[in-house]
Amino acid sequence: MRARKLAGGLISAALLTGTVALTVNTALAEEGAPPLTKEEMKKASKIYFDRCAGCHGMLRKGATGPALTPERLKKRGLNIEAIKAFIYNGTPGGMPDWGKQGVLTKDEIDLMARFLLNPPPNPPLLSWEQIKESWKVYVPVEKRPKKAANPNWQNFFGVILRDVGKVAIIDGTTKKLLNIVDTGFAVHILRTSASGRYMYSIGRDGKATVIDMWMKKPDKVAEIKVCYDARSIDTSKYHGYEDKYAVVGCYWPPSFVILDGKNLKPITRHATSDYYYDTKDFVREARVASIVASHYDPLWILNIKEAGQVWLVDYENVDKGTVSVDMIDAERYLHDGGWDLSKRYFLVAANMRNKIVVVDTKEKKLAAIVEVGTKPHPGRGANIDHPKYGPIWCTGHIGEKRIACIGTDPKKHKKYAWKVAKWIEMPGEGGGNLFIKTHPNSKYLIADRPLNPDKNLQRSIFVFDKYSFKLVKTLKVPDDIPGRAVHPEFNKGGSEFWISVWARKDQPSAILVYDANTLKLKKVIKGDWVRTPTGKFNVYNTMKDIY
Amino acid sequence: MRARKLAGGLISAALLTGTVALTVNTALAEEGAPPLTKEEMKKASKIYFDRCAGCHGMLRKGATGPALTPERLKKRGLNIEAIKAFIYNGTPGGMPDWGKQGVLTKDEIDLMARFLLNPPPNPPLLSWEQIKESWKVYVPVEKRPKKAANPNWQNFFGVILRDVGKVAIIDGTTKKLLNIVDTGFAVHILRTSASGRYMYSIGRDGKATVIDMWMKKPDKVAEIKVCYDARSIDTSKYHGYEDKYAVVGCYWPPSFVILDGKNLKPITRHATSDYYYDTKDFVREARVASIVASHYDPLWILNIKEAGQVWLVDYENVDKGTVSVDMIDAERYLHDGGWDLSKRYFLVAANMRNKIVVVDTKEKKLAAIVEVGTKPHPGRGANIDHPKYGPIWCTGHIGEKRIACIGTDPKKHKKYAWKVAKWIEMPGEGGGNLFIKTHPNSKYLIADRPLNPDKNLQRSIFVFDKYSFKLVKTLKVPDDIPGRAVHPEFNKGGSEFWISVWARKDQPSAILVYDANTLKLKKVIKGDWVRTPTGKFNVYNTMKDIY
């Protein structure tokens, strides 16, 4: 007898946050899969979206993390107890120890294990109507200031307060907090417009916000929710298109969305679902991992994570209804990256293949694929004009303690071009680096290590001489400030660098300001509002892509 | 009590043809939907694919025909009896009368009505591995002739024998049958390579075949199945890329596939699923309706039916792993079209909006959208260099009896450019035209009318003076030959035109050859092999896009 009983028909579960409505087809339940109530399905879907989807995908086909479909789990011989153990303890490969860390309770882990043994619910599409309805203009363009209220505005910093869904605007000159702006949930990145006047944030929840730095109290002037899940935003930086467009890269639905740069009015969108560059099989969930705007062409560089393709999106004819895309086969899974010193070459990590992909944006083709260390994580990387190697671009790694510096001048320094010209080694065991940074006016290369299991290393900042590559100093987060040191960022002139101390949401922490010459801690930015600070973005350095 | 009984779990139904394997999730069955056995599901899926999917879509979201999801049918208040009536009688809007025509039995119609009240089965993906396995080279390039065996080869015709899955190769000079080549099921179109040597066919079943016209007995030299459902194929015609690549436009999976031009080795593919150009909502089933190669740029023009976008696909860097696409917002639903006389402008029908879209392939942008009559169906259209209107491009209509001629010279004949410069009216009631054709050496414009309900008009060919637009003569299919007159095609020199007589599969019919000056029937090509002849493609006219 093949007939069986199933609970419910199609149910529509608006998730607890109200941000994601998953259509849960309980009729899809697998034979013998552990049953879930509607309430449990709702809760599990929300936890999955918040904690798991980033690495494993909404459709659970896998990306940075392995595939988690019921068939796949069964094939790997994983029963409910084994799955619970994975969720509780994590793995050395990078899976967090959600149970040990206390992020998920035992009951929640049991729920998630049962959820994973059922087929993934269909993630909803986001209609254009919904997008348009979410669009809010707080200050119309004509009511915005005609000139900057504060002469220091190009040295302002936007600081992501990640887990509280806010962005702090700090005057980099006076170190004063100017405003705290409500943005999307778990903001992933901030970018500035070509003029620098507008700063854009994109939340994990797909909400894009634009903040006007010319206001006396910089504040958001418009916002719109264009995806359920997103990681990237940038603007049109080509001559004649300054501040004209913004573009959001979505994780779900897999797409990019083009917006008016000043008021975020939605203009158009295109899907990024495509075929893997290598197997040529279909990947519905081909997500936009990161976006960077070219300064010299009307192009955005979109890194399509799963497909392993770099898309050069030409926005020159958007107003005529044309979007042009060069789809360049590269490597899996693309993550983030940055410009070389000349801003002709874009370098991006293929983090599961331990490669850096180099795209020539002038010739619109792949220039090289460079083998680096385990799980490169460049952020934007760091550029050094080196007397011996010529211009080099460096990346740290999550998976090991070395920093790889790649030669980027195939003409005058051909010998070092598109290979690791220099390895730099950090002290202590293991990797865990997320960001490195330098500045043309600084002699130092600064590296964090927040993902290292050693608490001491998590709270250390490593300062290297950028020419000799020798470790000059290891800076430590002061004992009275809880959290990990993360994301070095220079001020406009390169005379200071700032470090976030990333603690738990319920603990105020701090932003540390170091003198970039003496390496002395010159200021601790504190306050009850300093919660989970992560990325910080100096207006000038971000508008000019200085790193 | 919400629990209910459902038959079966996931079943995999290899369709009767063996060409499409649909994964049928019977657990998806709607509450109260009429039950289907596995066998019935198999049979209905096959009938749906053969007869319905072309207009209504594999996912039944609608295109040329309306959406047919169970929700949609219920919303329209259609119960099982109403659906059966539609399938039996057809509609004036274009739905064929499958019952009346005797194509489907009453039992089959009952089955289809029940099938439609169940959710559509998930169409399968076609893996790259499956595509590679289907690839067959019958004659390797190095074993092919170094020169043409027959001096008349540029005047050969390929004739589609649609319902028997074959292509006949006929010597246009001697009118002799040279070979009958087994190709895909229900071949949709034939195209030739830039040199003219290779003729490509694409079957409804996604099977691409290449025939070598230089062989003593022209025959297929390679084939590959790259989709489950397809309508279009073309090759690289740009200088330096002659005969280098072929490209297939798939209906399912929605994609285009690039192949080696000489041996059909699969190179790469990209998805065409995207957002509707107007509503900006996602359309998984955004199908490639037609493809035409540019002669002056390394471009293919792909018409993405549902999305209403024209994609200009640049193949210049395919060998470097880059495919570039200009995605141009146009109109719904795109069907087929052809070049203007200068081959700079491509004109394509948006058949549900009664529009012709004009794309400027030099500037890579939309040039105009022209309002024409009801359901334009240009095929490739017909070009006339007119003393008054300048160069014009004409299309017939399925939905009405007028032919619309559009001015295509915005420089010297601006007054007539991108509007209907001249309407030509066919005698009798109703439309039903599928193809019109002319030739630079002919003074006539020839039009068929096979979809007209009047049997007399179905069997008539209308000959107009191409300058005065007056009806010169109406040609009739000889009484002893069964079927409808369809698809005029000129020979190389323009001194003859050929007409297919399209009868049922079980009736041998004929190909009629008319003198293009005297309009006399000069030859009837007959034989038991002449079954369901439809499109005919002269090698020279096809390689040069002369129409």
Side-chain angles (χ1 to χ4, degrees):
Chain A
M1 176 62 176
R2 299 179 64 87
R4 59 201 164 90
K5 290 184 178 183
L6 286 165
L10 288 164
I11 59 165
S12 197
L15 290 191
L16 305 181
T17 53
T19 55
V20 178
L22 290 169
T23 304
V24 178
N25 185 349
T26 50
L28 268 167
E30 288 285 286
E31 191 96 43
L36 290 177
T37 66
K38 272 195 224 182
E39 276 309 312
E40 285 178 326
M41 181 56 99
K42 235 195 222 181
K43 189 176 175 188
S45 294
K46 167 144 171 53
I47 294 173
Y48 186 83
F49 176 73
D50 288 350
R51 305 291 177 188
C52 320
C55 290
H56 300 282
M58 294 281 261
L59 301 173
R60 299 195 215 147
K61 304 276 188 190
T64 316
L68 295 181
T69 54
E71 310 80 63
R72 192 77 204 137
L73 294 170
K74 274 176 203 161
K75 219 172 184 176
R76 290 171 63 198
L78 297 175
N79 63 12
I80 193 159
E81 291 308 319
I83 296 167
K84 281 159 70 174
F86 269 111
I87 301 174
Y88 188 87
N89 297 308
T91 69
M95 166 84 182
D97 46 349
W98 296 121
K100 267 197 202 157
Q101 270 189 54
V103 173
L104 297 180
T105 65
K106 290 216 162 176
D107 282 354
E108 285 170 334
I109 289 171
D110 176 73
L111 170 65
M112 292 314 292
R114 286 183 289 130
F115 175 76
L116 293 180
L117 287 167
N118 282 278
N122 287 324
L125 296 171
L126 188 67
S127 76
W128 197 242
E129 214 44 58
Q130 284 175 285
I131 289 175
K132 285 195 282 186
E133 275 166 21
S134 77
W135 178 41
K136 289 188 193 98
V137 177
Y138 296 104
V139 184
V141 174
E142 63 276 13
K143 293 203 172 154
R144 295 179 198 165
K146 303 294 174 236
K147 54 181 188 148
N150 187 321
N152 300 335
W153 71 276
Q154 287 195 338
N155 196 29
F156 287 177
F157 283 70
V159 180
I160 295 169
L161 305 175
R162 194 178 180 284
D163 293 358
V164 294
K166 294 178 200 295
V167 169
I169 308 297
I170 299 173
D171 184 333
T173 309
T174 63
K175 318 290 184 288
K176 280 203 179 122
L177 174 69
L178 298 174
N179 198 8
I180 294 177
V181 183
D182 270 320
T183 54
F185 161 73
V187 166
H188 195 74
I189 201 167
L190 305 178
R191 297 292 291 162
T192 56
S193 66
S195 73
R197 170 183 182 163
Y198 293 113
M199 186 170 265
Y200 301 81
S201 80
I202 184 71
R204 269 277 262 119
D205 56 0
K207 192 193 277 179
T209 307
V210 53
I211 299 166
D212 184 356
M213 294 297 171
W214 282 13
M215 292 164 86
K216 196 163 178 199
K217 185 178 171 178
D219 208 344
K220 65 179 168 187
V221 289
E223 71 184 11
I224 189 167
K225 182 181 163 65
V226 294
C227 342
Y228 285 117
D229 191 359
R231 295 291 188 283
S232 53
I233 191 164
D234 212 334
T235 73
S236 52
K237 291 193 165 172
Y238 181 57
H239 178 68
Y241 293 80
E242 294 91 344
D243 302 16
K244 186 169 181 183
Y245 298 121
V247 59
V248 174
C250 299
Y251 260 33
W252 191 269
S255 60
F256 62 92
V257 186
I258 300 177
L259 310 169
D260 179 281
K262 293 188 180 75
N263 66 21
L264 304 185
K265 184 183 178 183
I267 298 172
T268 192
R269 58 174 169 172
H270 284 280
T272 52
S273 300
D274 201 0
Y275 291 87
Y276 290 108
Y277 89 95
D278 47 2
T279 64
K280 305 288 182 201
D281 285 323
F282 185 63
V283 51
R284 172 72 178 103
E285 202 169 351
R287 308 180 290 184
V288 182
S290 54
I291 303 182
V292 178
S294 167
H295 294 251
Y296 299 122
D297 291 289
L299 290 182
W300 292 306
I301 292 90
L302 272 67
N303 299 294
I304 315 297
K305 186 185 267 296
E306 285 76 9
Q309 298 179 27
V310 177
W311 285 18
L312 306 186
V313 175
D314 186 322
Y315 51 74
E316 212 167 2
N317 293 308
V318 164
D319 53 356
K320 298 189 191 84
T322 301
V323 173
S324 303
V325 183
D326 299 284
M327 301 170 178
I328 303 176
D329 288 348
E331 188 47 282
R332 301 196 210 176
Y333 294 111
L334 296 175
H335 194 66
D336 60 358
W339 292 106
D340 79 310
L341 213 50
S342 77
K343 294 197 170 61
R344 169 177 174 169
Y345 298 102
F346 180 76
L347 298 100
V348 56
N351 57 16
M352 293 309 284
R353 299 268 168 96
N354 305 328
K355 301 270 170 50
I356 293 289
V357 167
V358 186
V359 173
D360 180 345
T361 63
K362 193 176 165 193
E363 296 287 332
K364 297 188 172 187
K365 66 180 181 65
L366 188 73
I369 294 184
V370 184
E371 178 120 23
V372 292
T374 307
K375 278 209 191 177
H377 189 280
R380 296 297 178 207
N383 283 298
I384 299 167
D385 196 4
H386 195 272
K388 179 176 171 189
Y389 304 112
I392 52 175
W393 176 92
C394 308
T395 178
H397 298 83
I398 293 175
E400 60 168 81
K401 62 182 172 180
R402 291 183 303 171
I403 292 168
C405 294
I406 296 168
T408 62
D409 178 7
K411 285 203 174 139
K412 292 190 195 149
H413 296 85
K414 200 177 169 188
K415 192 174 158 191
Y416 303 108
W418 313 143
K419 58 192 76 147
V420 178
K422 180 69 192 173
W423 291 101
I424 307 170
E425 201 162 301
M426 291 201 270
E429 285 316 301
N433 168 257
L434 279 183
F435 299 102
I436 63 175
K437 195 75 56 114
T438 187
H439 188 281
N441 296 342
S442 169
K443 56 190 174 200
Y444 299 121
L445 175 70
I446 320 287
D448 66 12
R449 220 155 163 187
L451 298 191
N452 193 290
D454 180 337
K455 207 169 173 182
N456 182 38
L457 296 177
Q458 287 170 10
R459 291 169 56 81
S460 300
I461 291 289
F462 303 89
V463 182
F464 296 91
D465 181 294
K466 82 177 182 184
Y467 302 113
S468 73
F469 307 110
K470 282 192 184 128
L471 182 69
V472 175
K473 198 168 179 185
T474 301
L475 307 170
K476 302 279 180 186
V477 176
D479 289 344
D480 60 329
I481 304 169
R484 307 171 189 214
V486 68
H487 200 262
E489 170 81 343
F490 280 84
N491 66 346
K492 183 183 171 190
S495 62
E496 296 170 353
F497 58 87
W498 295 28
I499 304 288
S500 300
V501 189
W502 182 16
R504 292 208 324 255
K505 189 177 164 180
D506 56 6
Q507 297 169 312
S509 61
I511 298 154
L512 310 176
V513 180
Y514 288 90
D515 184 296
N517 290 305
T518 64
L519 303 180
K520 293 243 159 74
L521 178 62
K522 63 188 270 192
K523 171 83 183 171
V524 178
I525 299 172
K526 277 185 159 180
D528 190 61
W529 59 271
V530 187
R531 305 280 176 140
T532 62
T534 54
K536 296 160 306 305
F537 298 86
N538 175 270
V539 167
Y540 187 82
N541 294 343
T542 307
M543 75 191 252
K544 297 287 185 189
D545 277 306
I546 292 169
Y547 34 79
Chain B
M1 176 61 177
R2 300 179 63 87
R4 59 200 166 93
K5 288 182 179 186
L6 287 165
L10 287 163
I11 61 166
S12 195
L15 292 190
L16 304 180
T17 53
T19 55
V20 179
L22 291 169
T23 303
V24 180
N25 187 350
T26 51
L28 268 167
E30 289 284 288
E31 190 97 39
L36 291 176
T37 66
K38 271 196 229 184
E39 276 310 311
E40 285 178 326
M41 181 56 98
K42 238 194 220 180
K43 189 176 175 190
S45 294
K46 169 148 170 48
I47 294 173
Y48 185 84
F49 175 73
D50 288 351
R51 304 290 177 189
C52 320
C55 291
H56 301 281
M58 294 280 262
L59 301 174
R60 298 196 214 144
K61 304 275 189 192
T64 314
L68 295 180
T69 54
E71 311 80 61
R72 193 77 204 136
L73 294 170
K74 274 177 204 160
K75 219 172 184 176
R76 290 171 62 196
L78 297 176
N79 63 11
I80 194 158
E81 291 309 319
I83 297 168
K84 281 159 72 174
F86 269 112
I87 301 174
Y88 188 86
N89 297 310
T91 69
M95 166 86 180
D97 46 350
W98 297 121
K100 268 196 201 158
Q101 269 190 53
V103 173
L104 297 181
T105 65
K106 290 217 163 177
D107 282 353
E108 285 170 335
I109 289 171
D110 176 74
L111 170 65
M112 292 314 291
R114 286 183 289 128
F115 175 76
L116 293 180
L117 288 168
N118 282 278
N122 286 323
L125 296 171
L126 188 66
S127 76
W128 197 241
E129 213 45 58
Q130 284 174 286
I131 289 175
K132 285 195 282 185
E133 275 166 19
S134 77
W135 179 41
K136 289 188 193 100
V137 177
Y138 297 105
V139 185
V141 174
E142 63 277 12
K143 293 202 171 154
R144 295 179 197 165
K146 303 292 175 240
K147 54 181 188 149
N150 188 322
N152 300 335
W153 71 276
Q154 287 194 340
N155 196 29
F156 287 177
F157 284 70
V159 180
I160 295 170
L161 305 174
R162 195 178 179 283
D163 293 359
V164 294
K166 294 179 200 296
V167 169
I169 308 297
I170 299 173
D171 184 332
T173 308
T174 64
K175 317 290 184 288
K176 280 205 177 119
L177 174 69
L178 299 173
N179 198 9
I180 294 177
V181 183
D182 269 319
T183 53
F185 160 75
V187 166
H188 195 76
I189 201 166
L190 305 177
R191 296 292 290 162
T192 56
S193 65
S195 74
R197 169 183 184 164
Y198 293 113
M199 186 170 265
Y200 300 81
S201 80
I202 184 70
R204 269 279 262 116
D205 57 0
K207 192 192 277 181
T209 306
V210 54
I211 298 166
D212 185 357
M213 295 295 172
W214 283 12
M215 292 164 85
K216 198 164 177 197
K217 184 178 173 180
D219 208 344
K220 65 179 167 186
V221 290
E223 71 184 10
I224 189 166
K225 182 181 162 65
V226 294
C227 343
Y228 285 116
D229 190 359
R231 294 292 188 284
S232 53
I233 191 164
D234 212 334
T235 74
S236 52
K237 291 194 165 171
Y238 181 57
H239 178 68
Y241 292 80
E242 294 90 345
D243 301 17
K244 186 169 181 182
Y245 298 120
V247 60
V248 175
C250 299
Y251 260 32
W252 190 270
S255 58
F256 62 92
V257 186
I258 300 177
L259 310 169
D260 179 282
K262 294 188 180 75
N263 65 21
L264 303 186
K265 184 182 176 183
I267 298 172
T268 193
R269 59 174 167 171
H270 284 279
T272 52
S273 300
D274 201 0
Y275 291 87
Y276 292 106
Y277 91 95
D278 48 1
T279 64
K280 305 289 182 201
D281 285 324
F282 185 64
V283 51
R284 172 73 177 103
E285 202 169 352
R287 307 181 290 184
V288 183
S290 54
I291 303 183
V292 178
S294 167
H295 294 251
Y296 299 121
D297 291 289
L299 290 182
W300 292 307
I301 292 88
L302 271 68
N303 299 294
I304 315 297
K305 186 185 266 296
E306 285 76 8
Q309 297 178 27
V310 177
W311 284 19
L312 306 185
V313 175
D314 186 322
Y315 51 73
E316 211 167 1
N317 294 308
V318 163
D319 54 355
K320 297 189 191 84
T322 300
V323 173
S324 304
V325 182
D326 298 283
M327 301 170 179
I328 301 175
D329 289 348
E331 190 44 284
R332 302 194 207 177
Y333 294 110
L334 296 175
H335 193 64
D336 60 358
W339 292 107
D340 79 310
L341 214 51
S342 76
K343 294 195 171 63
R344 168 177 174 169
Y345 298 102
F346 180 76
L347 298 100
V348 56
N351 56 15
M352 294 309 284
R353 298 268 167 94
N354 305 330
K355 301 269 169 51
I356 294 290
V357 168
V358 186
V359 172
D360 180 347
T361 64
K362 193 175 165 193
E363 296 286 333
K364 297 188 171 187
K365 65 181 181 65
L366 187 73
I369 294 183
V370 183
E371 179 120 22
V372 291
T374 307
K375 277 207 192 179
H377 189 279
R380 296 297 178 210
N383 283 298
I384 300 167
D385 196 4
H386 195 271
K388 178 175 172 192
Y389 305 112
I392 53 175
W393 176 94
C394 307
T395 178
H397 299 83
I398 293 175
E400 61 170 79
K401 62 181 173 181
R402 291 182 303 170
I403 293 168
C405 294
I406 296 168
T408 63
D409 178 7
K411 284 203 174 139
K412 291 190 196 148
H413 296 84
K414 201 177 168 188
K415 192 174 160 191
Y416 303 108
W418 313 144
K419 58 192 77 147
V420 179
K422 181 69 192 172
W423 291 101
I424 307 171
E425 201 162 301
M426 291 200 271
E429 286 315 302
N433 168 257
L434 279 182
F435 300 102
I436 62 175
K437 194 77 53 120
T438 186
H439 188 282
N441 297 341
S442 169
K443 55 189 174 203
Y444 298 121
L445 174 71
I446 320 289
D448 67 12
R449 220 153 162 189
L451 298 192
N452 193 289
D454 179 338
K455 208 171 172 181
N456 182 39
L457 295 177
Q458 288 170 10
R459 291 168 57 80
S460 300
I461 291 290
F462 303 89
V463 182
F464 296 90
D465 182 293
K466 81 176 182 184
Y467 302 114
S468 73
F469 306 111
K470 284 192 182 128
L471 182 68
V472 175
K473 198 168 180 185
T474 301
L475 308 169
K476 303 276 181 188
V477 175
D479 288 344
D480 60 330
I481 305 168
R484 308 171 187 212
V486 68
H487 200 261
E489 170 80 344
F490 280 83
N491 67 346
K492 185 182 168 189
S495 62
E496 296 172 352
F497 58 87
W498 296 27
I499 305 288
S500 300
V501 190
W502 182 17
R504 293 207 325 255
K505 190 177 163 180
D506 56 7
Q507 297 169 313
S509 62
I511 298 154
L512 311 175
V513 181
Y514 288 90
D515 185 296
N517 291 305
T518 64
L519 304 179
K520 294 244 161 74
L521 179 62
K522 63 188 269 193
K523 173 82 182 172
V524 177
I525 300 172
K526 278 186 160 180
D528 190 60
W529 59 270
V530 187
R531 305 280 176 140
T532 61
T534 54
K536 296 160 306 305
F537 299 86
N538 175 270
V539 167
Y540 187 81
N541 294 343
T542 307
M543 75 191 252
K544 298 287 186 189
D545 277 304
I546 292 170
Y547 35 79

